[in-house]
């Protein structure tokens, strides 16, 4: 009987030790993962979103204001989380009447005040310093509808600061935005977007 009790007690101790070891390994893995992630915080004051829309008479060019941006990158896997937000009502093209129509009728800012991009993966090799490049895959949300996109980006890192530039096209009409064409004024069905994001980086 005593041998049986000793055997049970020994197995119980082994099981508890195994659980403790698994918990310790899991905790260590989580700590290493958190330490390996790189955090980026965008400075809205120095970041820009430019747009160019082809039209029958001349291209329409303008800007939107970045309101916030914060995301995290795992350099090993390229996995990203976070969000970049743009004020949909901030569109300026140099024509007040056109801008009011764009924000109210096309972008419906009363219902959808922001346009966002949520990065999910960076497929390039990001260097700790200097120039890097690669596509960023993520979700572009316009009029409350999410669309998967990939944006080729160039990143320059120096110390604890970074700047990133990229460009892509948005097929806004097929994504639910009202076509702004009227009478003899015809515009393209896609708008070209150019990003310039700057801010700080922490490892």
């Amino acid at each position: 009987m005593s041998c049986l009790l000793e055997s049970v007690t020994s197995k119980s101790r082994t099981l508890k030790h195994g659980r403790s070891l698994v918990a310790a390994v899991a905790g260590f893995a989580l700590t290493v993962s958190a330490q390996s992630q790189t955090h980026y915080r965008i400075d809205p004051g120095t970041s820009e979103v430019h747009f160019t829309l082809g039209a029958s008479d001349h291209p329409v060019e303008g800007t939107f204001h970045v309101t916030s941006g914060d995301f995290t990158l795992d350099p090993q896997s390229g996995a990203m989380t976070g969000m970049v937000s743009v004020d949909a009502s901030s569109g300026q093209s140099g024509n007040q009447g056109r801008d009011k129509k764009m924000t109210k009728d096309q972008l419906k800012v009363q219902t959808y005040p922001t346009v966002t991009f949520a990065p999910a993966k960076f497929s390039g090799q990001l260097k700790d310093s200097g120039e890097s490049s690669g596509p960023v895959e993520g979700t572009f949300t316009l009029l409350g509808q999410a669309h998967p996109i990939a944006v080729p980006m160039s990143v320059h890192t120096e110390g604890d600061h970074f700047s990133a530039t990229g460009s892509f096209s948005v097929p806004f009409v097929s994504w639910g935005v009202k076509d702004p064409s009227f009478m003899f004024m015809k515009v393209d069905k896609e708008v070209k977007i150019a990003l310039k994001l700057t801010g700080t980086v922490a490892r």
Side-chain angles (χ1 to χ4, degrees), residues 1-130:
M1 184 68 176
S2 61
C3 292
L4 178 60
L5 289 175
E6 289 178 2
S7 177
V8 172
T9 301
S10 177
K11 289 181 179 179
S12 177
R13 289 173 179 171
T14 301
L15 182 60
K16 289 181 179 179
H17 177 72
R19 288 175 177 173
S20 298
L21 181 61
V22 170
V25 171
F28 176 74
L30 289 173
T31 300
V32 171
S33 177
Q35 290 177 344
S36 67
Q37 291 182 339
T38 306
H39 302 273
Y40 295 84
R41 184 176 297 276
I42 292 173
D43 179 5
T46 57
S47 298
E48 303 171 339
V49 176
H50 290 263
F51 69 88
T52 302
L53 178 62
S56 55
D57 54 353
H58 61 82
V60 177
E61 299 182 344
T63 61
F64 281 90
H65 177 60
V66 177
T67 55
S68 64
D70 199 340
F71 54 90
T72 298
L73 168 69
D74 183 342
Q76 300 301 317
S77 66
M80 301 180 70
T81 58
M83 185 82 70
V84 178
S85 297
V86 173
D87 181 1
S89 67
S90 65
Q92 294 184 357
S93 66
N95 184 310
Q96 189 173 8
R98 178 173 57 204
D99 294 342
K100 183 177 181 180
K101 185 177 181 64
M102 172 179 65
T103 56
K104 181 180 179 181
D105 296 342
Q106 273 79 47
L107 296 179
K108 302 179 180 179
V109 297
Q110 301 90 334
T111 305
Y112 308 104
T114 60
V115 177
T116 64
F117 176 64
K121 184 177 179 60
F122 178 72
S123 297
Q125 184 64 43
L126 193 63
K127 301 176 183 178
D128 290 338
S129 180

Side-chain angles (χ1 to χ4, degrees), residues 117 121 134-140 147-153 167-169:
F117 176 64
K121 184 177 179 60
V136 176
E137 301 172 29
T139 302
F140 186 89
H147 306 274
I149 64 170
V151 183
M153 298 292 294
S167 59
F168 60 100
S169 294

